[in-house]
């Protein structure tokens, strides 16, 4: 197959830089252009010295990226991608938006949580939100825009899907306590990610108020077949990469850990990127780092009749760049695991 | 007042070493003896070089400590303190047990969770479990043994007490997601606390099966006035010190964040070691490190009718050595904050 | 003795905040005022939440601090303290400058390395640079301004003094490889101290070009009695606090490790804050953290005829705030260790 | 080309596990067998859960590995590989020893630093020590055993080679201050690598007494054409991976930074795995992590007439497993960068 040309808008943010790293070794893709508002005109390998000797590419602007690429990845703050999406559709290109502009199916959710309205509703009909393990069929040839899932919602949806779809949990009982590495906060300088402020520190943030909440609820409600509201509390974890979501839900009926484990194992048996761990073992960030895996561990608390799922991903891979490539692979007809079959390092 | 003589059995574990550090600058106490099974006969300052130049004391054995001290602190694995307690009572000494042997009022809880039975039930009548902010009146002159609370239960009880006692939360709805620094796992070598295995890592452990569970439920049930079962999941956090417990509970009635905050502020208004943070600010391990403070932040999730409390302590101070000294201060009639008025460093 | 009134100009930088923490528990001092350009008018306990419940003080401006205080500590970028010093002298106050404006005795060094000239040379006659263990006699009553040493130079001067003064090392052979925790870079936001950029990272910076170089050479030359040039390379270490300086120097004559160790032990025998470690043990940041100690370990490489000293301090205490208080104590006639007798925690 | 069969003796140590990870995706190799004394009979994916879903292989013993493999990698404590080497030679296999048994050309060095003698001197004639960039021509078809270089010596030899070979530095002036991540200490449990003991800590170890010293001197002496003794001081760095060696040497003549930089750039112009950084930029562990690169930065201190080189590698890749594969590639006629062309992640 001829290689597709891929481009990245917002290549100097953390997700953009990770995308670039992964795309550079993808067998079916050639990186055609990369852009950055802050570093336009500079060599990427000067901004990120890890690329030295591997990349001889100058950062340009978004129009250049769209013009030169078949598939455009955008990793930008919310509110900027409808316009880019329109250009891509016009030029017959595919846009994969790593931001929030094409994730929420209800415009009112976007307005409520992001404070913006959809200005081009017609675009959203050509768009699909896709966690591959749950929604890969959505990526038909009529789809021009892919709303790539958020990091937290990915870890949570994969952790809840088997139980929720099988009707084993009470929708409104779901509580999610998530912990994310600091790259999740981006490369922008803030006191909260200043080393001496977050090293040897740990706290919650945006308690029950994080913008990923409606995305989590959207997927959970679809799985349950009824609306569900969740309590979602993210925490900032002093590591570079990784998310653990510890998910609590009340069981609708008694079920043994073994039976629940079997349900999860069956659900994900053909999935290359979800690993249901043996009973009794907890998922750990360290075992998924630098990989596209989601590790799930399943516990039942028989004393309180709750399911507890511990879900681990690399926020920058399965939670962002890796999943975006997985979505590209599906949409473009590449092997679903092309370019993202990394074995996580042991340390 | 004449200085009391204090001794430490198990001085070379992390809690024991921290106790020693704090006792050495306590105005009302003189350290009389310290013991260690593993390092008996060695200089403490050779085992812990931070003490160099400050301590010229050789580690002895537990009988020596009991003989030389008025107040004995024991920081040992469970199952060893009934015998020590008996000796202390016999010799008219006070024992403060930092382990689990005098925490649970029901012998069956101890048997179920620790696999051991109380062999000297009469001792437990002279013993009291005491989180000072909730139970300081228990420490009357008839008490010879103090069951010093566990680290997780301390952070959780202080986080739940005002709401639970006021009947604002549904007992069986309580879910606690805790994260502890690695000193909580002790100084004993294990793969789980080997640096390359827990640095840049994060996972849950003893999911819904941690031995602190009955202690948490004991206090919560007392506060509620009825039995309550909780789901408790601890996680290992890659920092040296500190615990964050994120506590979720369903409200019994609608209540605003402001009203709940006022309830907490009132409850703790005279407490020197509990700080209820302003609304909207999350408790952070970094602001309590090396201090005896418990920081509490209060959130209401109106969408799901839940109270969320984020509770932060230093697991080695308020969660162990500091609280043990606070208990000694109360029992011995010293100022309650004597020797533990440390201002947490900013970093 | 009546308490002195102390004030801090630049209280919201890291060194300023650490000073405040230490001064708040100093037995001979009362904190009278604190200032900050960036946070003027705000509560300190809102800027640094570790102070919550311990401080009810609003940040003002430098004139307010000077007016209200007997001793003024200034922790500011270089170039700002001559003016403050002039005001202090005028008002009969003592200034302790934690910056670089009163450290270098030669104006040409200041010009060469800092790009500024001394505008008030007369002030420098009332000023003294003072590492207490080497220069405490300088702090006579005629001294109104104390140039508090830099963090790296403190660790290095204490590491070199006994050997240099005894003529055991070749001056121009000295090479110093230093490693500093990230608080040394201050609270200002930079990419270099953004958590994901410096966690799991390590590099040198300002190689053979750091502004502490002339200060290091000034002290070494005084000790040797002849001019000496050193190679000094600092590195950024992914920890919050602490400096290790590994110092290499060619021996002027054969000397055993035991003899060199004895020389160091004798030199520092009456010093409360310098600990010469037993032969064979390396100084470690962890054993001096949060304390005013300097730990020194002495090695001889007989194969290459070199002395190797590993010197460890807490950059924020002995390297800044603690030493500033030590200098105040000397100048004001307090016990030299008043308020800074902290035992370093074991972890 | 048909795939070679590769095996690993000592697969559950850190270097062994890293080797396995890299070999599993090597295009020219198939992993045939892996062994471990401690975990014989267990599934590798149970010992290292990062391999879950990617490897279905049970750990066997060394004879099994030798029998099934064409190329055998051994990652063992010193003293065990002569016997393995003899078996490999006998069976016509190639051994790549990641340990120290085939690194030193002089038996007396091995005896002096390792306390053991070479029992099979004839084997050493079929063996070659090989840092590919310096010695790749040694790996002729007559070589059956490759002594894979140590981690520190690799970083140091690459940092010194251009200047030493060109006669620009004084041999006996060389001082090396190295800092290594904790994986360098291995997976064996020790207090020194217990998380609370090495997190937020930093110290030197084996000062001027590390066993890599003779290996460093062997290569330096070859490059200089005369014997040279170095001072080498390693430090333990609180990161998982990476080594920075800061290397100091007196210049034999005046030379500008630009000229020295050109010398290095020329020397390594055709090397795929050495990157000479632009002048003024310091090598950083973060930019080589998880890759086979060695990054070098070149500084001249004109004030003291010294060359300063900062050399960065990933201790587990270029310092162990990656370089072992690079050596295999050369010896077996694969592309030298086959299986090890990883782009280092930015974070």
């Amino acid at each position: 197959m001829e290689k597709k040309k891929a481009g990245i808008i917002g290549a100097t943010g953390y997700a953009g830089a990770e995308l670039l790293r992964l795309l550079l070794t993808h067998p079916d893709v050639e990186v055609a252009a990369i852009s950055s508002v802050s570093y336009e005109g500079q060599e990427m390998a000067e901004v990120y010295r890890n690329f030295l000797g591997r990349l001889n590419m100058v950062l340009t602007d978004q129009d250049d990226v769209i013009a030169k690429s078949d598939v455009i990845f955008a990793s930008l703050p919310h509110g900027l991608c409808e316009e880019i999406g329109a250009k891509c559709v016009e030029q017959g290109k595919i846009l994969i938006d790593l931001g929030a502009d094409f994730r929420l199916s209800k415009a009112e959710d976007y307005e409520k949580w992001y404070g913006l309205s959809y200005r081009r509703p017609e675009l959203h009909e050509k768009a699909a939100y896709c966690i591959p393990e749950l929604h890969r069929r959505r990526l038909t040839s009529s789809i021009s825009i892919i709303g790539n899932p958020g990091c937290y919602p990915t870890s949570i949806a994969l952790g809840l899907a088997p139980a929720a779809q099988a009707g084993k949990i009470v929708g409104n009982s779901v509580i999610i306590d998530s912990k994310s590495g600091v790259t999740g906060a981006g490369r922008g300088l803030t006191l909260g990610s200043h080393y001496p402020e977050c090293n040897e520190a740990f706290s919650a943030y945006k308690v029950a108020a994080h913008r990923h909440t409606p995305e989590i609820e959207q997927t959970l409600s679809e799985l349950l077949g009824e609306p569900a509201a969740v309590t979602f509390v993210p925490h900032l974890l002093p590591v570079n990469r990784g998310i653990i979501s510890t998910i609590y839900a009340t069981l609708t009926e008694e079920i043994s850990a073994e039976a629940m484990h079997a349900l999860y194992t069956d659900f994900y048996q053909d999935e290359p990127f979800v690993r249901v761990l043996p009973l009794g073992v907890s998922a750990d960030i360290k075992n998924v780092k630098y990989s596209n895996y989601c590790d799930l561990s399943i516990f039942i608390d028989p004393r309180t009749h709750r399911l507890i799922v511990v879900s681990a991903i690399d926020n920058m891979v399965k939670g962002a760049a890796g999943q975006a490539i997985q979505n590209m692979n599906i949409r473009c007809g590449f092997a679903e695991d092309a370019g993202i079959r990394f074995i996580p390092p042991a340390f």
Side-chain angles (χ1 to χ4, degrees), chain A:
Chain A
M1 201 183 315
E2 202 191 347
K3 288 193 178 193
K4 290 273 186 200
K5 289 182 176 164
I8 303 170
I9 298 173
T12 56
Y14 281 150
E18 184 73 348
L19 250 175
L20 177 58
R21 182 174 74 95
L22 302 184
L23 288 172
L24 284 171
T25 58
H26 193 292
D28 305 313
V29 153
E30 179 192 349
V31 177
I34 54 180
S35 78
S36 163
V37 170
S38 313
Y39 297 96
E40 190 180 337
Q42 291 190 41
E43 282 269 0
M44 183 65 178
E46 279 173 18
V47 182
Y48 279 92
R49 293 200 181 275
N50 57 306
F51 289 113
L52 200 75
R54 295 303 280 275
L55 186 71
N56 219 344
M57 196 171 265
V58 171
L59 292 152
T60 61
D61 63 27
Q62 63 175 61
D63 286 337
D64 181 65
V65 172
I66 298 172
K68 290 184 177 156
S69 312
D70 304 312
V71 182
I72 293 94
F73 296 87
S75 181
L76 298 171
H78 69 274
L80 301 171
C81 266
E82 281 191 319
E83 193 185 319
I84 292 169
K87 289 182 189 172
C88 289
V89 167
E90 204 176 273
Q91 300 181 35
K93 310 292 176 76
I94 294 171
L95 171 67
I96 301 179
D97 178 16
L98 279 80
D101 295 349
F102 293 96
R103 290 177 186 160
L104 297 177
S105 51
K106 294 186 189 163
E108 60 264 34
D109 281 344
Y110 188 68
E111 286 176 38
K112 179 177 168 192
W113 290 87
Y114 290 88
L116 291 178
S117 52
Y118 287 157
R119 283 158 300 170
R120 298 170 183 267
E122 77 289 357
L123 271 182
H124 295 264
E125 286 164 29
K126 297 174 180 299
Y129 173 78
C130 182
I131 298 175
E133 290 75 11
L134 306 180
H135 315 127
R136 63 167 67 84
R137 292 186 186 177
R138 292 179 182 173
L139 299 189
T140 61
S141 60
S142 68
I143 293 299
S144 299
I145 302 174
I146 300 174
N148 203 56
C151 50
Y152 289 121
T154 296
S155 70
I156 295 162
L158 293 173
L160 281 169
Q165 190 164 296
K168 300 298 186 192
I169 56 171
V170 178
N172 283 329
S173 74
V174 176
I175 291 174
I176 306 134
D177 189 291
S178 292
K179 304 86 179 171
S180 171
V182 186
T183 51
R187 207 191 193 204
L189 305 182
T190 64
L191 195 57
S193 48
H194 191 55
Y195 186 91
E197 306 282 328
C198 68
N199 179 45
E200 296 294 294
F202 187 76
S203 69
Y205 69 99
K206 294 188 188 159
V207 174
H210 192 281
R211 282 171 168 165
H212 283 176
T213 306
E215 185 184 343
I216 295 164
E217 292 178 346
Q218 171 177 292
T219 303
L220 178 58
S221 299
E222 287 170 12
L223 289 161
L224 289 166
E226 61 179 28
V230 305
T231 292
F232 170 55
V233 178
H235 301 72
L236 190 65
L237 184 65
V239 302
N240 280 357
R241 286 169 174 254
I243 284 177
I244 288 275
S245 290
T246 311
I247 308 169
Y248 304 86
T250 299
L251 297 166
T252 50
E253 56 184 6
E254 290 284 307
I255 182 168
S256 69
E258 289 71 20
M260 187 63 88
H261 186 261
L263 183 74
Y264 274 71
T265 305
D266 288 354
F267 191 96
Y268 290 120
Q269 64 183 335
D270 296 327
E271 290 300 337
F273 292 121
V274 178
R275 305 190 293 195
V276 180
L277 302 184
L279 272 178
V281 176
S282 172
D284 192 316
I285 278 175
K286 101 178 137 185
N287 289 325
V288 297
K289 273 192 307 186
Y290 298 99
S291 86
N292 201 49
Y293 284 114
C294 174
D295 276 5
L296 297 178
S297 46
I298 311 300
F299 302 88
I300 297 290
D301 185 357
R303 301 171 59 259
T304 62
H305 312 289
R306 291 194 181 103
L307 166 67
I308 304 165
V309 179
V310 184
S311 173
I313 61 169
D314 183 314
N315 60 316
M316 284 289 138
V317 186
K318 185 63 177 168
Q323 186 153 265
I325 291 174
Q326 191 179 355
N327 275 326
M328 173 190 72
N329 289 344
I330 296 168
R331 177 62 185 79
C332 294
F334 307 142
E336 188 168 326
D337 62 357
I340 46 177
R341 276 184 59 77
F342 307 103
I343 302 174
F347 41 80

